[in-house]
Amino acid sequence: MPFDLPGFALSSFSYNQALWGFQVITMSRPLQRGVSGIRNSGNNNDFWESQVKDKAEKEVLDRNRSSDPGYLSLRFRCRFFCPDNSPSKYGTSENGFASDPFGIGSPRSRHKLTVLFLKLSLVVIVILALTGSFWWTLSISTSSRGHIFHGYRRLQEQLVSDLWDIGELSLGPSRMKEIEFCPEESENHIPCFNVSENFALGYSDGDEYDRLCGQGSRQSCLVLPPVNYKIPLRWPTGRDVIWVANVKITGQEVFTSGSLTKRMMMLEEEQISFRSASPMFDGVEDYSHQIAEMIGLRNESNFIQAGVRTILDIGCGYGSFGAHLFSKQLLTMCIANYESSGSQVQLTLERGLPAMIGSFNLKQLPYPSLSFDMLHCARCGIDWDKKDGIFLIEVDRVLKPGGYFVWTSPLTNAQSFLRNKEKQKSWNFVRDFAENLCWELMSQQDETVLWKKTSKRTCYNSRKPGSGPPICSKGQDIESPYYRPLQNCIGGTHSRRWLPIEERPTWPPRSNLNKNELALYGLNSEELNEDTANYKTAVRNFWSLLSPLIFSDHPKRPGDEDPSPPYNMLRNVLDMNAHYGGLNAALLEAGKSVWVMNVVPTNGPNYLPLILDRGYVGVLHDWCEAFPTYPRTYDMVHAEGLLSLETSQHQRCTILDLFTEIDRLLRPEGWVIIRDTAPLIGSARALTTRLKWDARVVEIESNSDERLLICQKPLLKSHS
């Protein structure tokens, strides 16, 4: 039985007592001697006369008793409960003669009545006990069922936590020691991106820079920052100036930079500036203004009115295009290949701008179909005419209906065609292929070309037979691929999310999807509103817990004053289990000048299309693999329910593996906020000492079985 029944336990105890007493009584009775087979000493005649006399007296007594109805009733009941199993009618006396066992005045009759009373009492006790147990069970099953299930679930979670702890402890005391530091050459290392190993495996022609995660790609040591590492400057100052020691870049790479998106200069040998050299001329601002005019807008401030909110910047340089548009409420995600030095992604993230490693070489990007309002490529280094246009097909897949593709390259300059026939051939291929993708060539100025993707699915069926790639079948058209090989067919046409950008609400109302849009994801307005309200409360609590440390370049000292808004240390935020994007929405509504990388785990519910349709940025990811970014890139890492998600399935990696990866991604003096069940938080708290984190557990509500684990990573430096 799942639980004990107190009433039943009590009745069982009483029954055993009564049974034990009855056994003692019966065992204490003298052994009876039967008539047959017994030889009695003495004179036979005397014996016969005595027997005849006793028989006569007995008959007289029986006649008197038969006339008494009380005696007959008692005798009947006694025979019913205590039947006579003796071979004779009345049994035998101690002298061997038959006698009446129901004689009222005899000691034997009193003994029989005592036994009868005990048996009746036993029956009553058993009946009462069973009745009480039945009603107790019925009340438990109706009124307390939820409490029992709740307690059972907590026991399961505690069991998982205990087994996890036992597994760690069983590996010996050495496993409980602090994790060792990685060698110095690993301070900018990214697991899953090993160019030399990919070369050895036969990858070439740019494919060696692709992502390749194997069994040995997981990192089990702590990455130390460079020797002269400094805490990044506050936003927005940190957008334009960074510490040169925080990134891996050579002086030659700094001095040779000078293109539109790769412009920077050295300041006092310790800092790098991305400001324009001339206050009267800003190439990025003029370039953005030109793109707006090509669309038919007055300037880049009107991108929002044209339905543009999210932009995927391919080969973004150092993020200057996105940095400029951020002030226009546009959110630009930078993607570029892995680079061992002078990385576009690393420098962009150091500036406090969205970026991640992404490649068009072999696999599809980890974004759903129809994800971005605009794709931008300014001298991004991709040969769009190679591999039969398969890279352009991937651009079409992630571009929303009615979205824009902007390409700036010397290849598009008509003057170059006269000097180089190969360039003219490449340009003609791209132009014709874009037309077969149902893209409209809207404008071409200097080196910049702008296309608009069709808003009508019927366009694909109206093409000439054999012109352009085919439409993907439903089996091929996976809405959210995870590093799947590039497809040579047009995707996204089967999606229920096919909605032109000009028909969507503009930003910021776009973040609150309407009833019909939410229905596409199986949600209703109440669920989204509840999620948003919960995160609003959570953000207020987070800020009160982390303040005032987050408002300074280093932990605030007593007596220091908080800087005035918008300055704060939290800029790059990573949400490891983003759900509907509620944390992102709450941070923006609270006026925090942050951006959030919303990560949707591959082994959980996929709401990444919802997050992107709300006007945020995000990506699919398997947290048992390394995240595609450089070390020390996020100021805060948030994870709600991630530990429960990982432990509820087949254990592919441990909490320690997750924490080691978090430590790699987190900037020194950065924060970790984890919300999960109390048993899992307890297990996680025990591991934080091995990573040298400062940690505390916070109780959320008195009646909640969830806890908050808040940690801060210290600034540790190597001794070299």
Side-chain angles (χ1 to χ4, degrees), residues 295-517:
I295 294 176
L297 305 173
R298 182 176 180 179
N299 54 46
E300 62 270 29
S301 299
N302 300 115
F303 276 137
I304 293 289
Q305 282 68 37
V308 177
R309 156 66 180 173
T310 56
I311 301 172
L312 184 64
D313 195 359
I314 306 166
C316 61
Y318 301 138
S320 296
F321 182 64
H324 172 70
L325 295 179
F326 185 82
S327 61
K328 314 299 180 183
Q329 300 189 53
L330 300 177
L331 192 58
T332 303
M333 169 64 74
C334 163
I335 62 168
N337 283 335
Y338 166 78
E339 297 166 291
S340 58
S341 179
S343 165
Q344 303 172 71
V345 172
Q346 187 180 37
L347 269 77
T348 300
L349 284 164
E350 189 67 20
R351 298 180 65 183
L353 300 167
M356 63 173 284
I357 298 174
S359 173
F360 274 85
N361 295 330
L362 293 174
K363 300 171 184 174
Q364 292 179 320
L365 298 171
Y367 309 121
S369 301
L370 318 179
S371 292
F372 295 93
D373 305 315
M374 177 185 287
L375 268 74
H376 174 255
C377 164
R379 302 191 178 187
C380 59
I382 296 179
D383 297 325
W384 297 109
D385 59 318
K386 302 300 182 183
K387 297 188 178 181
D388 299 324
I390 198 169
F391 301 146
L392 290 172
I393 296 175
E394 179 65 3
V395 169
D396 182 85
R397 184 186 72 83
V398 298
L399 193 61
K400 289 181 181 293
Y404 302 96
F405 177 55
V406 181
W407 182 30
T408 298
S409 170
L411 187 67
T412 63
N413 192 333
Q415 297 297 324
S416 66
F417 298 161
L418 303 176
R419 300 186 299 269
N420 191 324
K421 297 298 181 182
E422 286 297 322
K423 288 185 178 180
Q424 183 176 6
K425 182 180 178 181
S426 298
W427 161 248
N428 290 339
F429 176 86
V430 173
R431 181 193 60 197
D432 296 341
F433 197 87
E435 183 179 354
N436 291 329
L437 288 172
C438 288
W439 291 2
E440 177 189 356
L441 179 58
M442 295 190 65
S443 180
Q444 182 175 2
Q445 295 183 16
D446 301 326
E447 295 183 351
T448 302
V449 184
L450 186 143
W451 284 277
K452 181 180 176 65
K453 178 179 176 177
T454 182
S455 300
K456 301 178 180 179
R457 279 184 274 203
T458 56
C459 175
Y460 301 111
N461 296 326
S462 63
R463 297 176 299 170
K464 296 179 181 179
S467 61
I471 297 176
C472 293
S473 64
K474 288 187 177 181
Q476 293 175 305
D477 196 2
I478 299 176
E479 185 171 53
S480 298
Y482 184 66
Y483 296 110
R484 191 179 63 162
L486 290 169
Q487 300 290 305
N488 195 19
C489 58
I490 299 174
T493 59
H494 299 284
S495 175
R496 296 182 299 170
R497 297 169 45 244
W498 183 283
L499 183 66
I501 61 172
E502 56 267 20
E503 297 180 15
R504 291 181 179 271
T506 58
W507 179 265
R510 174 174 167 179
S511 63
N512 298 317
L513 300 182
N514 60 42
K515 179 180 178 181
N516 295 332
E517 290 175 315

Side-chain angles (χ1 to χ4, degrees), residues 645-664:
L645 178 64
E646 292 295 338
T647 57
S648 64
Q649 302 176 6
H650 180 67
Q651 185 174 331
R652 301 169 299 133
C653 54
T654 65
I655 294 181
L656 186 60
D657 295 327
L658 294 175
F659 278 18
T660 305
E661 176 64 6
I662 291 174
D663 185 87
R664 185 184 73 86

Side-chain angles (χ1 to χ4, degrees), residues 617-635:
V617 293
V619 67
L620 281 174
H621 185 64
D622 181 354
W623 280 115
C624 287
E625 300 173 351
F627 193 70
T629 191
Y630 291 82
R632 305 174 302 279
T633 53
Y634 288 96
D635 301 307

Side-chain angles (χ1 to χ4, degrees), residues 21 24 42 128 139 209 289 394 406 428 446 514 674 682 701 712:
V24 170
L128 291 176
S139 63
Y209 296 100
H289 189 81
E394 179 65 3
V406 181
N428 290 339
D446 301 326
N514 60 42
I674 299 176
E701 297 173 358
Q712 187 177 31

